Amino acid sequence: MTTVRVAGVGLTPFGDHGDRAGRDLFAEAAAAAIDDAGIDRGAIDRLDYGNFMGALAEKQGHQAPLMAEAAGLDCPATRYEEACASAGVAVKAAVEAIRAGTADLVIAGGMERMTSLDTGAVTDALSIAADELYEVRAGMTFPSAYALMAQAYFDRFGGGREDLAHIAVKNHANAVPNEYAQYQREITVDDALDAPPVAEPLHLYDACPITDGASAIVLTSDEYAATHDLDAPVAITGVGQGGDRLALQDRDAIAETPAATAAAETAYADSGITAADIDVAEVHDCFTIAEVMALESLGIADSGEGILAARDGITTPDGDCPVNLSGGLKAKGHPVGATGGSQIAELTRLLRGDHPNSEYVANATTGVAHNAGGTVASAVVHVLEVAE
Amino acid sequence: MTTVRVAGVGLTPFGDHGDRAGRDLFAEAAAAAIDDAGIDRGAIDRLDYGNFMGALAEKQGHQAPLMAEAAGLDCPATRYEEACASAGVAVKAAVEAIRAGTADLVIAGGMERMTSLDTGAVTDALSIAADELYEVRAGMTFPSAYALMAQAYFDRFGGGREDLAHIAVKNHANAVPNEYAQYQREITVDDALDAPPVAEPLHLYDACPITDGASAIVLTSDEYAATHDLDAPVAITGVGQGGDRLALQDRDAIAETPAATAAAETAYADSGITAADIDVAEVHDCFTIAEVMALESLGIADSGEGILAARDGITTPDGDCPVNLSGGLKAKGHPVGATGGSQIAELTRLLRGDHPNSEYVANATTGVAHNAGGTVASAVVHVLEVAE
């Protein structure tokens, strides 16, 4: 089986793109990835594309052929929808196609337009990632769902708002030099603690923003990279996907995320790493509490100890395992269907040494991306390794 | 590489399911497929699931984990959206996963709720499969898009409404004994010609109905079928996918469907068949003219001759290559995200000999399924062969 390499990455800035069409955003990211890879777009075999709320935000379904056209591609294209993990499953499918030998050169990624809706409408649109019959009709929104998870975590393991604040502070600081980040500005613990509540115990700075953006990565086989002289030092060596009940009420426990644990176990076994090998990670911090549970599912923190990882400096840039050096969903932004591809792109830049925060991971060889859907009813984990 | 076999198939009746939730429909189809396969659902490795308009029809995205739960599965689940070809791409992904050795036992299929919307709303919902900026805003609906394609076909190759009527008559007659069909009743050529116009030259009986329904198929490897003593005489020996510009105006010609031609060429090469080998086909007749173009893309009819295939008796039950013995989308119904799986299920039943229309294909060994998205901006073709 071939090793799958990341030949190029491309991102739009994350933020408010005004009247720009989604196809325009994806075309920009794809062009950047193709340019970064130094390939001819005519050689691309397939597009694996993630999008979540296009039917609501742009009244546009059937986006895969549209995005292929926008990116100047002439190949089969498929859309994946797995809520906030849409691009994660798209990337995983691309990796599997190259491994299976059905494709040599693939573009994967995703796009989301969100600011085209007002805040109420985007909250409603996001809620379709939860169970309409048993959660949404009862009034549940995503901030309230993650608030329930945070409270359950506090009840079971301890911790509180100030611990979460350290995660927001860390991720905002990480975003400052990232030219693609929505919020390139620092906040303080007091800013976070004093911010207005969204759903207790979560306040404004515990939540990711509403974001437009696109991500694209070019993946290829070892052999194609060698024969075409592509500079692709980073490989995706492990993939894993997990699932859980959609509704929180149907789960055994809500202070942990077994779908992500299963995805991580599969990905680590696939790549042959253990959690101890991880040098850097991008995790799905749609809310600060989500980063906590992600760390525990990934094995970066033990059960009940993820809450202290930022505060204790384990996941800060100078810590043992820097997490969300991109700024994370919290400060880089979370264009839902693009996020999973953005995480891979950011990790690739970090491991290649051309990320503004690469200085913190100069000797890193192993990175992990954790992309979650809804209240982690689905999760995808990728292992990236430097493989010169 | 292993041969992928169809171990079981399951369908709900197609039609108006009233207040039933989509998850309930998919659970019914999945249970039927699991029962038909004679497997333990706990052994299933993954779910590949198609759905198109869930965000609009049920305000429900992130359906993959929801459908896994409804079907009693405990495995990763992924949703594919490729407009009317959503289940086709889901089945293709499942085949590729088994071939790659990453799964032994997979459920693939799809579900659509449509009657939950009124006719105007469902027309709007379907229109998201077209280009919102350049087609839908200009007033294009799917009947009008296919009317343009029909008129272009007539202008280029000849033919007219009466030729199309023979397709509707054939497919309605085929549906009569099919217990899953929405319309188990015959129509006449005069009925079709006298029906009210929808978008000239297409009248009421040229269009498929609005339908709820679900499909599920259990796929497995040759080795798993043998070691677990599964009765799975039909194999999927070829898969192919093609793409085109989303908007009709961006294409070189609209009287033919090159995405389907590309998908067929890939699938035939994959399986080692030629068009001359095809004994029976299920094709995507969302409108009668779509069946014509499908026959030409599949090579069942030469260019410009598909229009006469039903009238001349080539694709009728007693003809050289019976097409849409299930009743097709026209008379069996078209629950968009379920259709691609339904085609595979119907072909499997026909080739196994347990379909009410199997008598017409008693010696058939090779079937082809043609599933198209939008105005054939995407297409998936599967080749099925009896492989005892």
Side-chain angles (χ1 to χ4, degrees), chain B residues 39-102:
Chain B
I39 57 163
D40 171 4
R41 70 187 65 208
I44 293 169
D45 296 314
R46 56 185 262 171
L47 167 64
D48 292 293
Y49 170 80
N51 173 263
F52 170 53
M53 58 167 68
L56 301 170
E58 291 194 294
K59 298 180 186 170
Q60 185 66 67
H62 205 188
Q63 290 194 9
L66 182 64
M67 295 303 158
E69 179 181 354
L73 308 178
D74 181 23
C75 62
T78 302
R79 175 198 168 202
Y80 302 78
E81 184 272 306
E82 199 84 351
C84 320
S86 295
V89 294
V91 172
K92 176 171 171 282
V95 169
E96 291 175 336
I98 293 169
R99 286 179 172 184
T102 62

Side-chain angles (χ1 to χ4, degrees), chain A residues 298-385:
Chain A
L298 293 172
I300 293 171
D302 288 338
S303 177
E305 297 182 6
I307 187 71
L308 294 173
R311 190 168 190 165
D312 288 351
I314 296 165
T315 52
T316 50
D318 292 318
D320 283 349
C321 182
V323 169
N324 286 330
L325 280 172
S326 69
L329 286 59
K330 173 67 206 81
K332 188 191 170 184
H334 181 28
V336 171
T339 289
S342 166
Q343 294 175 318
I344 307 276
E346 295 283 4
L347 275 178
T348 299
R349 298 202 299 152
L350 285 160
L351 292 171
R352 289 194 312 206
D354 56 10
H355 192 284
N357 281 327
S358 281
E359 65 186 284
Y360 298 111
V361 287
N363 299 313
T365 60
T366 304
V368 167
H370 160 282
N371 187 203
T375 49
V376 202
S378 47
V380 182
V381 171
H382 287 91
V383 177
L384 280 71
E385 292 186 84

Side-chain angles (χ1 to χ4, degrees), chain A residues 62 65-66, chain B residues 82-85 129-130 135 140 142 145-146 149 241-248 251 253-264 283-287 289-298 329 334 370-381:
Chain A
H62 205 189
L66 183 64
Chain B
E82 199 84 351
C84 320
E135 294 184 319
M140 202 193 80
F142 270 91
Y146 274 92
M149 297 167 86
Q241 182 176 355
D244 202 344
R245 309 299 189 193
L246 190 61
L248 286 177
R251 301 186 195 165
I254 63 170
E256 48 204 0
T257 50
T261 308
V283 310
H284 197 96
D285 61 325
C286 49
F287 297 90
I289 186 65
E291 179 165 315
V292 174
M293 295 187 288
L295 296 180
E296 297 181 13
S297 281
L298 292 171
L329 286 59
H334 181 29
H370 160 282
N371 188 202
T375 49
V376 202
S378 47
V380 182
V381 170

Side-chain angles (χ1 to χ4, degrees), chain A residues 21 23 46 55-56 58-66 69 73 76-83 89 96 100 128-134 241-242 244-246 250 373-374 377-378, chain B residues 21 23 46 55-56 58-66 69 76-83 89 92 96 100 128-134 241-242 244-246 250 373-374 377-378:
Chain A
R23 66 191 74 183
R46 57 186 260 170
L56 301 170
E58 291 195 293
K59 298 180 187 171
Q60 186 65 68
H62 205 189
Q63 290 195 8
L66 183 64
E69 178 180 355
L73 308 178
T78 302
R79 174 196 170 203
Y80 302 79
E81 185 271 307
E82 198 84 350
V89 295
E96 291 176 336
I128 69 168
D131 191 320
E132 203 277 322
L133 289 183
Y134 296 110
Q241 182 177 354
D244 202 344
R245 309 297 190 193
L246 190 62
D250 293 332
S378 47
Chain B
R23 66 191 74 182
R46 56 185 262 171
L56 301 170
E58 291 194 294
K59 298 180 186 170
Q60 185 66 67
H62 205 188
Q63 290 194 9
L66 182 64
E69 179 181 354
T78 302
R79 175 198 168 202
Y80 302 78
E81 184 272 306
E82 199 84 351
V89 294
K92 176 171 171 282
E96 291 175 336
I128 69 168
D131 191 320
E132 203 279 321
L133 289 183
Y134 296 111
Q241 182 176 355
D244 202 344
R245 309 299 189 193
L246 190 61
D250 293 332
S378 47

